[in-house]
Amino acid sequence: MKKTDNQMLVIFGASGDLTARKLIPALFNLYIAKQLPANFVVLGASRSNLSDEAFRRKVLYDSPYLKNKIEHLKDNYLKGFSDMFFYEDLGDDYTQSYEGLAARIGELNGKYGTGSNYMFYLSTPPSLYEPIAKNLADAGLSSQEEGWKRLIVEKPFGYSLETAKNLNQGLQKYFRESQIYRIDHYLGKETVQNLLVTRFSNSIFEPLWNRNYIHHVEITNAESVGVEKRGGYYDKSGALRDMFQNHLLQIVSLVVMEPPIGDEPEEIRNEKVKALKSLRVMKDEASLFENTIRAQYVASEINGEKVKGYREEDGVDPNSTTETYAAVKFFVDNWRWRDVPFYVRTAKRMPTKVTEVIIHFKTPHHQIFKDSGVSSKDNKLIIRIQPDEGILIKFGVKVPGQGFKVERANLDFYYSSLAETYVMEAYERLLLDAMQGDATLYARADEVEAAWEFVDPILDYWKNSKDVRMYGYAAGVWGPENADELIDDLGFWRNPGQNLADDPGYCVIC
Ligand code: BG6
């Protein structure tokens, strides 16, 4: 096990939802698993006026996100955890001097022996990232003369290529790139990391992982929920910025990348950047028209319950043209992937929540069993990111009886079947990595910019072109009617069910 230095975690935006929903439960799991260092302090900082005690009450004792976990714990065990928490009121806004904050950090550091190692977690609106970084630097809190200093920033990282570049430059004025950790919680998912292992620790997949054997690649990310209480944020973002630019392009980079030299963070990140840079950027209107589809969910009934359309959601402009469904077809311009189409879609209010990668292999070069129907039963490798995490291979078997009729059979593996079943939550894994200074699962500046480079023209086209359409789909179905048109002659998307081995067309409304 890697060593975790004594340290202090300073959370900006500590009274917000993300802190309570994700960060504190992740820290709690690390506490239970005895993964926190001997000397560890969490200092919450935000604009709410709270005492240490009130903060502990809010994010621990009264937290709905910890309720089940702490119910049966002995009081002193929980107290051991809560004693690590402190709070500092930043006053009216995040941009005023951090002298008071620096003094408090110094005091806690002296008292609890955190070795002057500080990790600053920015769980605030992105517009505050640069001002906070500047204030920290002005207060001497970015200097690594004594102890290390790290800065974790949440998504969204930028709103466009230009804003992402500005943000990178802005942060790099005050912190070195090696101190900056850009979080993408999909990289914290075991099954996303397993893409690397599936590819590079087996000798059976990699020889086939190229244009000679792969016909096309499909990635689906579907959510059954709508925009929930985040209408205000989402309406300014949309599916492409919210999911595609970050989470889905991260998955794409892991599917596309070349084998790294080893497992060092920079070796893996170098290959991911190269992969993202090789995506063919669509710049002309004709390509953008043909290869992208956007849509919005409209009111419907799911399981007898009325569901609002996107434009009726709280915080959403009634004339909004923000997409809740985005599907993009693209190519990767390199030796390995030339001419292999990639189809990637993401959407809210789909029939079920599912994320999976499907590698469709080409039919055999020479078909011996001509009347077997094999050509419509291509081999597939399905990597299920969530839920029912696992891997499924679809392959042809002979139907018993005369002749050579072929049917498709399943060869499947489920994570739940492993003896060691404890799977760390994404935030738990990512926090621990950052605490140990491992940036493998964090996005580097050039990686984020390469992703924006691809997405920017699509966003511009959707915003400005007169030809672009906004389709509608009833909440609870697999997107707009014409979504299959993107798939060319291949027919249709694989519309997965809740379980890995469900066949397309199977539809769970949950
Ligand atoms: C977030 C998006 O990054 O990811 C949300 O902002 C989305 O809109 C969420 O719901 C999905 O994450 P997961 O882990 O539930 O697939």
Side-chain angles (χ1 to χ4, degrees):
M1 215 198 288
K2 277 193 209 159
K3 187 178 160 294
T4 311
D5 296 332
N6 291 330
Q7 59 192 275
M8 188 182 314
L9 170 65
V10 183
I11 305 176
F12 288 84
S15 53
D17 181 56
L18 182 82
T19 304
R21 198 161 43 88
K22 295 287 183 195
L23 303 185
I24 309 289
L27 289 170
F28 182 76
N29 289 352
L30 292 174
Y31 173 69
I32 298 282
K34 301 196 174 18
Q35 298 266 19
L36 295 178
N39 300 345
F40 183 63
V41 163
V42 179
L43 177 62
S46 70
R47 290 170 307 175
S48 309
N49 181 6
L50 295 172
S51 63
D52 292 343
E53 209 33 60
F55 179 57
R56 290 172 188 173
R57 195 136 287 293
K58 179 178 160 69
V59 298
L60 304 177
Y61 294 101
D62 296 344
S63 165
Y65 306 105
L66 283 187
K67 197 165 181 285
N68 293 341
K69 296 179 193 259
I70 63 178
E71 246 163 18
H72 307 295
L73 282 185
K74 294 213 175 82
D75 280 354
N76 57 352
Y77 193 59
L78 186 56
K79 188 166 179 313
F81 183 58
S82 84
D83 282 351
M84 298 173 184
F85 285 71
F86 300 88
Y87 183 81
E88 180 70 16
D89 180 359
L90 287 177
D92 293 342
D93 69 74
Y94 285 89
T95 55
Q96 59 195 35
S97 151
Y98 286 177
E99 253 172 55
L101 179 71
R104 185 79 194 280
I105 290 175
E107 175 209 319
L108 291 169
N109 181 47
K111 194 163 171 196
Y112 294 98
T114 50
S116 303
N117 297 321
Y118 307 145
M119 191 154 84
F120 302 104
Y121 197 114
L122 310 195
S123 173
T124 62
S127 56
L128 293 173
Y129 294 167
E130 192 180 333
I132 292 176
K134 176 180 185 307
N135 274 5
L136 287 170
D138 288 350
L141 290 167
S142 62
S143 150
Q144 304 202 86
E145 260 168 45
E146 226 183 289
W148 49 253
K149 310 289 176 295
R150 296 178 189 139
L151 188 75
I152 305 189
V153 287
E154 264 295 333
K155 68 164 269 255
F157 196 89
Y159 189 74
S160 60
L161 177 60
E162 193 191 351
T163 53
K165 277 186 173 164
N166 290 342
L167 187 51
N168 276 331
Q169 282 161 13
L171 294 181
Q172 286 163 351
K173 276 193 253 166
Y174 310 109
F175 285 80
R176 297 209 187 112
E177 177 58 25
S178 59
Q179 293 176 276
I180 304 172
Y181 290 66
R182 296 170 191 79
I183 211 161
D184 185 306
H185 81 275
Y186 266 56
L187 288 177
K189 293 183 192 272
E190 279 293 328
T191 41
V192 172
Q193 293 156 37
N194 192 46
L195 273 165
L196 283 174
V197 175
T198 303
R199 287 192 57 194
F200 302 130
S201 77
N202 291 301
S203 53
I204 54 174
F205 298 118
E206 206 45 29
L208 307 181
W209 210 267
N210 58 56
R211 65 189 306 273
N212 296 326
Y213 296 95
I214 294 179
H215 187 273
H216 67 283
V217 176
E218 197 182 329
I219 301 178
T220 287
N221 168 271
E223 290 186 272
S224 47
V225 293
V227 291
E228 300 177 288
K229 292 181 187 141
R230 298 160 71 225
Y233 148 77
Y234 195 90
D235 206 31
K236 293 191 187 64
S237 170
L240 213 60
R241 286 190 179 93
D242 185 51
M243 292 295 300
F244 185 92
Q245 183 276 334
N246 37 67
H247 309 323
L248 290 176
L249 285 184
Q250 284 293 337
I251 295 178
V252 166
S253 72
L254 296 173
V255 173
V256 166
M257 72 190 266
E258 293 300 313
I261 306 167
D263 65 357
E264 286 302 310
E266 291 321 308
E267 285 160 0
I268 293 180
R269 300 206 293 181
N270 286 344
E271 292 304 335
K272 285 171 63 197
V273 173
K274 237 170 75 188
L276 289 170
K277 285 192 169 165
S278 57
L279 305 190
R280 187 185 303 166
V281 180
M282 292 176 275
K283 290 205 165 128
D284 60 294
E285 292 232 344
S287 314
L288 288 157
F289 179 79
E290 271 168 34
N291 296 313
T292 66
I293 294 185
R294 63 173 185 169
Q296 261 178 8
Y297 60 83
V298 297
S300 172
E301 231 176 64
I302 300 180
N303 276 349
E305 251 181 59
K306 284 208 158 67
V307 175
K308 279 185 189 171
Y310 175 65
R311 292 182 183 180
E312 287 104 59
E313 300 274 18
D314 289 346
V316 172
D317 177 350
N319 300 314
S320 172
T321 53
T322 301
E323 76 287 354
T324 61
Y325 174 104
V328 182
K329 171 186 174 186
F330 60 89
F331 290 92
V332 180
D333 282 339
N334 64 19
W335 194 274
R336 184 188 287 265
W337 293 109
R338 179 90 207 166
D339 295 335
V340 177
F342 280 68
Y343 301 91
V344 180
R345 64 177 168 167
T346 176
K348 298 232 181 246
R349 280 280 184 234
M350 298 265 99
T352 191
K353 178 174 174 73
V354 63
T355 304
E356 61 176 34
V357 176
I358 307 129
I359 309 292
H360 295 260
F361 290 94
K362 290 185 172 171
T363 47
H365 303 312
H366 176 61
Q367 304 226 353
I368 297 172
F369 308 116
K370 294 198 177 56
D371 303 322
S372 64
V374 74
S375 57
S376 60
K377 300 188 173 78
D378 59 340
N379 291 126
K380 294 184 185 60
L381 171 69
I382 300 165
I383 301 172
R384 183 64 91 104
I385 310 288
Q386 61 188 20
D388 203 22
E389 291 80 359
I391 294 183
L392 177 72
I393 297 178
K394 297 247 180 210
F395 70 111
V397 291
K398 183 179 175 307
V399 177
Q402 269 193 311
F404 289 101
K405 207 163 173 295
V406 174
E407 205 31 274
R408 202 162 49 183
N410 289 342
L411 199 59
D412 47 12
F413 155 77
Y414 296 90
Y415 265 86
S416 54
S417 66
L418 290 177
E420 175 56 75
T421 47
Y422 181 68
V423 177
M424 275 189 167
E425 294 281 330
Y427 271 91
E428 192 181 338
R429 170 68 200 272
L430 292 171
L431 268 178
L432 185 61
D433 279 6
M435 288 164 82
Q436 298 179 337
D438 183 345
T440 314
L441 302 177
Y442 285 85
R444 212 167 60 186
D446 49 355
E447 202 172 331
V448 173
E449 288 178 18
W452 276 118
E453 201 120 8
F454 180 76
V455 167
D456 241 22
I458 305 176
L459 288 167
D460 284 348
Y461 169 69
W462 282 0
K463 187 168 170 218
N464 300 321
S465 170
K466 284 190 205 74
D467 297 334
V468 71
R469 300 192 186 121
M470 173 64 76
Y471 296 99
Y473 60 100
V477 306
W478 284 106
E481 238 184 339
N482 59 327
D484 282 341
E485 283 167 20
L486 204 65
I487 311 265
D488 302 318
D489 53 334
L490 306 168
F492 39 79
W493 295 89
R494 179 185 134 90
N495 290 337
Q498 213 169 27
N499 302 309
L500 173 58
D502 293 337
D503 267 324
Y506 182 89
C507 187
V508 183
I509 312 272
C510 60

